[in-house]
């Protein structure tokens, strides 16, 4: 059994605990938190420790799943834990991945670290590599949604007069159909996705101001067609408290002057954090196996032979799934 | 430049020659054939040699792409070439892969061989492994088509009174929709695919006999709902001479008692042999790189880190595609 530790018990951490229970070859050994350990109700009586006690558990944990956020948690926790444990995370700030990878690789001298192992980055990245490799003469498209964007929801919540908000990113069907037709079209930002916002305003807030502030917000909304719905908080909690997400990676390309092809990978997820955590758990297995073989250092999903993810042996996946 | 040789210049071999021209880091060095080399018009003045001359070219070829069939060509050619060259093939007799893999591994002592690298086995196999690893509590479905099945077309052509025939395998939309709904349904064989046959009969042939023989043919047709259309040969050549194919790998599964997810990978191909050859070419690059690192022996798509397929360097794929 692969003994797994979880660092950080938010939505992804809870998903990781569930994912470990579904993996026949893994057991959850401990949860580590920065909160008061007594405040956490862990599944199945798993012990909960303070973050500061982690280094005393190096002989009890085969892989640590880091479930913190990419903005401030992982840049600190990644190198800290990778020095002492095999780790896996879902670092998702695309632009900072090379720098983060280097910071982990510098310390993971006798440990294996798999970074950026969710679905984007992660499975979607794999699809981009496979599809570009097999159709070099083509164009790749990534669509996200329909799903809740925490970053965009947070941006709305920071506007004065907003009590709560949920933002959905929604791919434009016409754009997806255009790619499916094999034409390799070029899109403006607003042609690929629309943004739909459900906003709870404070009682006396100026709704016109809130709507205008959202729609004109640079980077987040100004390049998109955005719809704003004001609803009351009970409706928000009732109808918009799940965390669905998903999306598509598509590539169209040609192999000669007449024949074109379309590759499409899509995810439809009822819980973004639970699915993300399930991917991280599969890469925890890979990290463990790589470490057992002495293959240390920082890895990405591009570096790992797919067989390492499977609970089955190499012989079994070749026999059953090839 | 990776110097590529092609063994066998049928549909897949021609596709491989095209694929090499689209790969900026590869050049086509030679074609090897069992036919009269003078009878082959090779692209760009590439030399064509007899099969028997291949062993004199070991220092001119970095990777051989074997384009023969799985029934009789590859079981002989695979071990023969893998002893002297790095090789890649698209061996596709699923049940015999372990045995074939072992026969190649036994001889590829100082060479790297990637077997079964088309789209099924190949890309579809990868999707089955990834999706099963990340959603262990679920069910996987593979649908093929709409596309021409050479095996089924050949089976019809062997019936007395049949002059020519093309058979399309077509997935049942209702089955795909049922999987998309996340219910993990169980299907009978006939619920997943239908078979549509376009048949040219000899002038005096008994069409009722032909249709009955097709529909009752065990393994090939008797477990399916099959439609037979008799058409004349000019219509067959005009409307059914392309080789489209494709299909879907889908997995639905749950991560707890309430949240389920659907993973879907689909291919829509205007030319099955050209797309297959494009995949083999990408794995030829991987075989070359593995051999350069001294990683010899027989490999499958499950054994190869995805970065090895990309024309870009590891640093570039991490920066651009992760």
């Amino acid at each position: 059994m692969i003994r797994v530790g979880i660092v950080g018990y938010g939505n992804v951490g809870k998903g990781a605990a569930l994912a470990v229970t579904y993996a026949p070859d893994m057991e959850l050994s401990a949860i580590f938190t920065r909160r008061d350990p007594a405040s956490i109700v862990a599944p199945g009586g798993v012990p909960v420790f303070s973050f500061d006690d982690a280094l005393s558990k190096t002989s009890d944990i085969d892989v640590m799943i880091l479930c913190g956020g990419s903005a401030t948690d992982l840049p600190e926790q990644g190198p800290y834990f990778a020095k002492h444990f095999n780790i896996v995370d879902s670092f998702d700030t695309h632009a900072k991945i090379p720098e983060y990878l280097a910071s982990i690789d510098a310390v993971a001298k006798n440990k294996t670290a798999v970074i950026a192992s969710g679905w984007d980055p992660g499975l979607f990245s794999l699809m981009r590599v496979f599809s570009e490799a097999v159709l070099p003469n083509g164009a790749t498209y990534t669509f996200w949604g329909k799903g809740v964007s925490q970053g965009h929801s947070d941006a709305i919540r920071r506007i004065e007069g907003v009590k709560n908000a949920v933002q959905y990113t929604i791919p434009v069907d016409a754009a997806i159909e255009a790619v499916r037709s094999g034409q390799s079209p070029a899109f403006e930002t607003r042609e690929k996705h629309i943004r739909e916002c459900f906003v709870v305003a404070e009682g006396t807030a100026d709704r016109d101001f809130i709507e205008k502030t959202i729609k004109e917000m640079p980077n987040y909304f100004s390049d998109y067609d955005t719809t704003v719905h004001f609803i009351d908080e009970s409706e928000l909690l009732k109808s918009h408290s799940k965390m669905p997400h998903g999306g598509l990676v598509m590539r169209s390309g040609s192999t000669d002057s007449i024949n074109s092809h379309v590759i499409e990978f899509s995810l439809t997820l009822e819980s973004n954090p639970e699915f993300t955590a399930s991917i991280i758990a599969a890469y925890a297995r890979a990290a463990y196996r790589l470490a057992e073989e002495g293959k240390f250092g920082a890895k990405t999903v591009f570096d790992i032979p797919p067989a390492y993810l499977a609970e089955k042996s190499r012989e079994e996946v070749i026999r059953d799934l090839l």
Side-chain angles (χ1 to χ4, degrees), chain A:
Chain A
M1 296 294 271
I2 303 170
R3 298 167 304 165
V4 174
I6 290 174
V7 177
Y9 201 61
N11 289 323
V12 175
K14 286 172 189 160
L18 285 165
V20 170
T21 66
Y22 279 108
D25 56 343
M26 294 187 190
E27 61 186 18
L28 182 56
S29 295
I31 293 166
F32 299 90
T33 179
R34 280 176 304 191
R35 290 179 275 167
D36 174 9
S39 71
I40 289 181
V41 181
V46 170
V48 182
F49 299 107
S50 165
F51 203 92
D52 300 324
D53 295 332
L55 296 197
S56 69
K57 307 291 177 192
T58 51
S59 58
D60 305 325
I61 306 280
D62 294 316
V63 192
M64 281 287 205
I65 297 182
L66 307 189
C67 300
S70 300
T72 56
D73 297 335
L74 292 175
E76 197 173 293
Q77 294 172 15
Y80 177 77
F81 282 97
K83 193 171 177 180
H84 306 284
F85 295 93
N86 302 312
I87 67 156
V88 187
D89 70 35
S90 59
F91 185 84
D92 66 359
T93 310
H94 290 260
K96 294 191 175 170
I97 286 173
E99 176 191 337
Y100 181 67
L101 182 73
S103 77
I104 302 284
D105 199 52
V107 297
K109 294 299 176 198
N110 297 296
K111 298 294 172 185
T112 304
V114 180
I115 69 151
S117 71
W119 58 271
D120 196 358
L123 294 187
F124 273 20
S125 319
L126 285 170
M127 298 309 137
R128 289 187 283 262
V129 163
F130 284 124
S131 60
E132 189 172 303
V134 303
L135 280 182
N137 184 41
T140 300
Y141 302 84
T142 302
F143 294 92
W144 296 275
K146 181 180 178 176
V148 174
S149 164
Q150 297 300 344
H152 289 79
S153 301
D154 289 345
I156 298 171
R157 288 190 203 107
R158 286 192 293 265
I159 296 170
E160 194 185 327
V162 171
K163 192 174 176 198
N164 205 342
V166 170
Q167 193 265 189
Y168 294 94
T169 305
I170 305 169
V172 175
D173 284 340
I176 294 171
E177 287 307 322
V179 178
R180 276 191 192 134
S181 75
Q183 294 165 43
S184 301
F187 295 114
E188 301 288 323
T189 298
R190 72 176 65 246
E191 292 174 318
K192 284 183 69 190
H193 297 93
I194 57 175
R195 300 198 176 279
E196 188 169 24
C197 314
F198 293 87
V199 180
V200 180
E202 305 279 3
T204 59
D206 179 343
R207 296 179 172 209
D208 290 344
F209 165 80
I210 292 171
E211 181 163 343
K212 187 167 182 293
T213 306
I214 293 171
K215 289 184 171 177
E216 295 179 355
M217 197 184 297
N219 302 319
Y220 285 86
F221 293 99
S222 63
D223 294 335
Y224 298 87
D225 291 335
T226 301
T227 321
V228 177
H229 308 279
F230 288 95
I231 61 176
D232 62 33
E233 187 143 38
S234 64
E235 176 65 20
L236 189 88
L237 296 176
K238 191 179 75 148
S239 303
H240 304 285
S241 61
K242 288 193 78 171
M243 285 173 283
H245 218 311
L248 303 90
V249 175
M250 306 174 79
R251 186 170 178 89
S252 66
S254 57
T255 47
D256 62 13
S257 58
I258 53 168
N259 291 314
S260 68
H261 315 278
V262 179
I263 302 172
E264 186 171 332
F265 178 79
S266 72
L267 296 174
T268 308
L269 312 175
E270 289 190 349
S271 166
N272 183 4
E274 287 182 13
F275 187 74
T276 298
S278 292
I279 301 168
I280 309 177
Y283 277 99
R285 177 183 293 124
Y288 171 77
R289 291 181 179 169
L290 288 164
E292 289 290 296
E293 296 176 1
K295 292 170 180 159
F296 302 129
K299 317 284 183 191
T300 72
V301 295
F302 299 150
D303 304 315
I304 298 174
Y308 282 61
L309 302 181
E311 190 249 328
K312 293 174 173 171
S313 71
R314 175 177 184 256
E315 287 64 35
E316 287 170 325
V317 292
I318 288 173
R319 186 193 64 202
D320 300 342
L321 300 176
L322 192 61

